[in-house]
Amino acid sequence: MEESRDSIKDIWGERTPYEGEWPARSDQRTSEEPDHWVQSACVLCSNGCGMDIGVKDGRIVGVRGREADRVNHGRLGPKGLHAWVANNSKDRLTKPLIRKSGKLKEATWDEAMDLIVQKSKEIIENDTSLGMGFYTSGQLFLEEYYTLGVLGKAGLGTPHMDGNTRLCTATSAAALKVSFGSDGQPGSYTDLDTTDAILHFGHNIASQQTVLWTRILDRLAGPNPPKIIVIDPRETYTAEKATVHLAPKLGTNVPVMNGLLNLIIEAGNIDTEYIQAHTTGFEKLKKIVSMWPPMRVEEVSGIPESKLRQAAEILGTAKSLVSTVLQGVYQSMQATAAAVQVNNLHLIRGLIGRDGCGIYQMNGQPTAQNTRECGADGDLPGFRNWGNEEHVKQLAELWNVLPDKIPHWSPPTHAMQIWRFAESGSIKLLWISGTNPAVSMPELARIRKILKKRKLFVIVQDAFNTETTKYADVVLPAAIWGEKTGCFTNVDRTVHISHKAVEPPGEAKSDLDIFLDYSRRMDFRDKDGNPLISWTTPEEAFEAWKKCTKGRPCDYTGMSYAKLTGGSGIQWPCNEKYPDGARHLYTDGMFNTSIDQCETYGHDLDTGAAVTKKEYKAMDPAGKAFLKGSDYLPPHEMPDEKYPLWLTTGRIVYHFHTRTKTGRSQQLHDAAPDGYVQISEEDAVKYGIGEGDMITVTSRRGKVTEPAKIGGVEPGLVFIPFHYGYWDNDKRSRAANELTITEWDAVSKQPHFKYAAVSISKEEDSILNKLGQAVETIAEKLKPQEV
Amino acid sequence: MHIGKYIDLVHRTEEDLVDAFKLVSKAHSDEVDVEQTCVLLSSWSKKLADELEPIAKRYKKEGDKEPDRLTKTLLKKARKGSMALLRDLHDLYLIVSEVLVCCTILKQGGTALEDEELVSICEEIERQTTRQSSWLMTRMKSAAPQTLIVAK
């Protein structure tokens, strides 16, 4: 094994301190000397590092960072350097499976696809396509999402399509839409090279986007280090480097942000000219945040007044500012309202649309941006507004179908509602691609119950057997990264191409080929009787997508496979005006809020009530950004006598999602082999718990047993990483989502994984405990006789 | 002068809404967003009813007959299931609309009487009730196609 650095021991690698251009560093890891390299990019987080895949004798044997790439300048993180070995895993699915007499049995593609088509037609006949739902991913390529979007919207005409991006990045899109009129990240990663200050809000960037954090570490080691504010209830790697670390109580993000904005406005640290020229709603916002003086913020959030003032001083006086927001905000109470406050901060200070000033409403997954852009998350492709008849007409013309075929007569069904329809029986076919809801959704007992429903036909398209394939009626083996060609877009709008390096194993097919095959077999036609989807290759799909983006904020028309190949990734918009892509959006202070351009007419931040077109017209901001505020709403579940502690869930640096890939790298597995429950020293003493003791954590929805890890969190708080399920260890209940709540943000519909009331108890091998177990076992045995 | 009757009507309807939202919240607790949002909207109605109470007392005349209210015929009992959800939200929408109509009328009276306190509370009721109404419409619209076409 050749490796340029040990990324398990030293996650971020050697420092290259800098001022100006970020120096390159070449990270590489190979098991054998490759006979050739193939251009790609990393899919193990949303950062989108350019990388090459090393191939020998038709097998992947390693990766190296691309020095020419604008995102990573040659660097790769531990997941990127290690997780490619999963492609070669013996566990890969190589043949379709069909459930027969209760068991999944190998089948041919014809048998599997014919069965899916037969079921689809039956359901459409009886219930229309409203009986079908699609739950996809943030892991496919844009060509695949777009194809899925077109077949769902113009072929079937179902509004029931969403991605697991609902769990990770829906609030990012929602917050950008609320403030700026459409999705689209305003900034560029190059902002980090010059910025004066950085705000990380609910974002443990050191663990989640390790290479982006390396860029910040290198700035910190350089001659003009930025000041860093971290808002996070845990003492994370990121918090360790903070100039000021604010650790709020769970569910109090809005009070904290209101408090900060109040201090900044009171101190007069605002750009009145910018507010006047480019925003609307300032007076209302000012009124709302003025109700949050530091003392009240301290009472509600636990953040000391002095610390809040320190943070407000930095955020209010920095000449340039980069803010990043992630799950600590997106998966908590008032998600959209809190994320929007970060946009407000930049707007009232006029820190947007220029070098050094960026907002990253971060994405969780590598291709989540494309799920949103291409219409695989329910939105209309190209950031079009489903309430705008003109936008619907554009798509109808592009696809040559009647406008009413496109499901604009109903708001797109978000994932949580899709699962609810499946639960209540009105969705009868659920097609899951590239995701593992049996570990990643909240309240797993409920999810298993839904998947088990006899009247729900479940299709799972994946590279591996997962906790979810267990419940499938049909399993389709999918080709993954490295085995197919396609493009994807990272958080700063950089589009990368990932070329096919090797053949997929066995009979596995790319998601694109599977969707195209389904479309052919369903015989989807346009209104002239021609095939609805005319493309057959990834490049043709990309060309079709380009047409769909013409004139929209995410304009890809200036890109091509040839242009994306060689050199660096390219940022959208890329068109005649910006042939090499644009570093920043909104450079002229004109936002996508005009009534003809906007992606949504907006929502009430507290209830999610939709603003109507008529109402929007009356206040048409015509290019001004919205400043919207919200008052505090306490979480729906609070600790009480029976469940006295707060649970929060999250990620660890060595794993991605439910470990279907990272868990198959021996080194990543060994670095973090099992789940744990992190508690404070104070609670460890209170409950008599020692490091490594097995602890049972119980909520109203379930229980898990995990080894204890002591320290690094506030008293009253417990943390469990959500990666661990059952495919490699089913000996005990250990998936964090056994405990989490079924509920979601009013606007973004993102579930609240970041709080739940729990109790903890030490597992003792006492007689009492065993006695309890014995009684339970007897009860189990008695049950069948009782019935 | 009949203005007292109208104030009483709004006040009582607002009080009825406190319970009506709670009733729907409980009956449809399987729809988590409905359960939680109805609790929130119930709390808004409670606040409005409390704020209106002193004015209602101020205008109340002995022997005023209690006005007929929509809540006497609508939503006496919440029902279960997806069609029932649509009907219950629909009922709530009608009651909320009643408040909006009453408020428009009341505001005219209040303005003519130069009763600033009354006008100001009418404006607050209009603002919050419009938000309630918007949410109900949004939620009905999202439930409608599935309920009308697929649900059994």
Side-chain angles (χ1 to χ4, degrees), chain B residues 4-62:
Chain B
K5 282 182 192 156
Y6 251 92
I7 296 171
D8 195 36
L9 182 60
V10 175
H11 186 229
R12 284 173 195 270
T13 308
E14 208 62 78
E15 280 179 334
D16 290 340
L17 271 175
V18 175
D19 295 333
F21 274 118
K22 277 187 193 157
L23 187 75
V24 174
S25 167
K26 219 170 150 193
H28 301 286
S29 57
D30 288 343
E31 311 293 338
V32 179
D33 59 331
V34 172
E35 182 194 22
Q36 294 180 342
T37 312
C38 282
V39 169
L40 178 69
L41 301 192
S42 169
S43 77
W44 292 1
S45 285
K46 174 84 175 74
K47 192 158 176 273
L48 294 174
D50 289 350
E51 283 168 12
L52 196 55
E53 192 163 356
I55 302 174
K57 276 191 183 148
R58 179 146 65 79
Y59 278 96
K60 188 160 176 67
K61 277 193 195 141
E62 292 298 321

Side-chain angles (χ1 to χ4, degrees), chain A residues 127-128 130 160 409-411 417 420-421 426-428 604 606-607 609-610 633 636 742-744, chain B residues 30-33 36-37 40-41 44 130-131 134-135 138-139 141-142 145-146 149-152:
Chain A
D127 296 312
T128 77
L130 287 170
H160 307 326
W409 26 262
S410 166
Q417 189 64 50
R420 173 65 190 142
F421 284 151
S426 71
I427 282 183
K428 288 157 182 140
D604 187 309
D606 294 332
T607 65
L633 295 172
H636 299 111
T742 301
E743 61 171 50
W744 52 87
Chain B
D30 288 343
E31 311 293 338
V32 179
D33 59 331
Q36 294 180 342
T37 312
L40 178 69
L41 301 192
W44 292 1
T130 304
R131 293 176 77 194
S134 297
W135 177 78
T138 302
R139 193 60 181 82
K141 275 170 107 173
S142 83
Q146 199 73 6
I149 296 168
V150 197
K152 296 279 182 292

Side-chain angles (χ1 to χ4, degrees), chain A residues 525-546:
Chain A
R525 301 267 164 180
D526 68 13
K527 67 180 186 201
D528 295 329
N530 297 314
L532 172 70
I533 295 172
S534 57
W535 53 90
T536 57
T537 66
E539 187 163 9
E540 286 167 15
F542 187 80
E543 290 300 316
W545 166 241
K546 276 165 63 178

Side-chain angles (χ1 to χ4, degrees), chain A residues 469-778:
Chain A
T469 56
K470 224 173 120 180
Y471 302 102
D473 294 288
V474 177
V475 178
L476 302 174
I480 51 175
W481 165 92
E483 299 160 0
K484 58 183 184 180
T485 296
C487 298
F488 59 98
T489 308
N490 81 340
V491 180
D492 84 337
R493 294 172 280 107
T494 301
V495 182
H496 285 108
I497 191 163
S498 177
H499 283 285
K500 179 174 175 173
V502 297
E503 289 300 323
E507 294 175 24
K509 283 187 188 181
S510 74
D511 300 279
L512 177 67
D513 285 340
I514 297 170
F515 295 142
L516 288 174
D517 186 22
Y518 177 69
S519 187
R520 266 192 306 271
R521 286 172 197 259
M522 289 294 288
D523 199 26
F524 294 131
R525 301 267 164 180
D526 68 13
K527 67 180 186 201
D528 295 329
N530 297 314
L532 172 70
I533 295 172
S534 57
W535 53 90
T536 57
T537 66
E539 187 163 9
E540 286 167 15
F542 187 80
E543 290 300 316
W545 166 241
K546 276 165 63 178
K547 281 187 201 148
C548 184
T549 65
K550 192 171 167 49
R552 295 301 299 160
C554 54
D555 195 331
Y556 282 68
T557 49
M559 295 185 204
S560 66
Y561 269 25
K563 196 166 172 176
L564 288 163
T565 302
S568 167
I570 303 169
Q571 285 173 294
W572 66 247
C574 175
N575 48 22
E576 276 174 14
K577 192 174 171 195
Y578 304 103
D580 299 313
R583 211 140 66 174
H584 292 93
L585 304 181
Y586 315 128
T587 47
D588 55 359
M590 280 294 283
F591 298 88
N592 295 328
T593 53
S594 78
I595 191 160
D596 301 325
Q597 177 81 344
C598 65
E599 192 181 355
T600 168
Y601 300 127
H603 296 89
D604 187 309
L605 291 186
D606 294 332
T607 65
V611 176
T612 63
K613 188 175 183 179
K614 206 171 149 194
E615 288 164 337
Y616 196 88
K617 204 170 183 178
M619 60 168 180
D620 188 357
K624 286 185 174 183
F626 285 105
L627 292 170
K628 281 192 183 169
S630 186
D631 206 358
Y632 172 54
L633 295 172
H636 299 111
E637 184 172 278
M638 302 278 259
D640 55 20
E641 224 165 79
K642 194 164 177 210
Y643 301 101
L645 299 161
W646 278 116
L647 165 75
T648 190
T649 66
R651 288 137 189 83
I652 49 181
V653 65
Y654 301 108
H655 286 298
F656 192 66
H657 275 203
T658 61
R659 293 158 44 258
T660 39
K661 284 176 90 174
T662 53
R664 287 179 166 91
S665 148
Q666 194 61 50
Q667 286 80 11
L668 292 174
H669 172 82
D670 292 348
D674 201 351
Y676 57 84
V677 51
Q678 189 176 6
I679 57 171
S680 67
E681 285 93 354
E682 289 86 340
D683 286 327
V685 172
K686 192 168 155 190
Y687 289 89
I689 291 165
E691 183 83 19
D693 284 352
M694 291 306 277
I695 302 183
T696 294
V697 184
T698 310
S699 79
R700 287 184 175 83
R701 295 152 292 275
K703 57 171 75 177
V704 298
T705 305
E706 316 272 2
K709 189 176 167 197
I710 296 169
V713 291
E714 297 284 309
L717 182 64
V718 306
F719 169 82
I720 304 177
F722 88 109
H723 307 290
Y724 298 91
Y726 307 104
W727 61 265
D728 57 338
N729 180 355
D730 59 1
K731 292 194 178 64
R732 64 172 215 271
S733 178
R734 67 166 182 168
N737 283 319
E738 304 288 350
L739 306 170
T740 46
I741 309 178
T742 301
E743 61 171 50
W744 52 87
D745 182 61
V747 181
S748 70
K749 319 296 183 194
Q750 187 158 348
H752 292 162
F753 291 103
K754 293 295 188 192
Y755 65 80
V758 295
S759 64
I760 58 173
S761 62
K762 196 166 143 179
E763 281 289 289
E764 313 248 12
D765 280 321
S766 67
I767 291 175
L768 256 179
N769 195 340
K770 279 182 185 156
L771 201 68
Q773 278 173 10
V775 171
E776 251 175 52
T777 318
I778 292 165

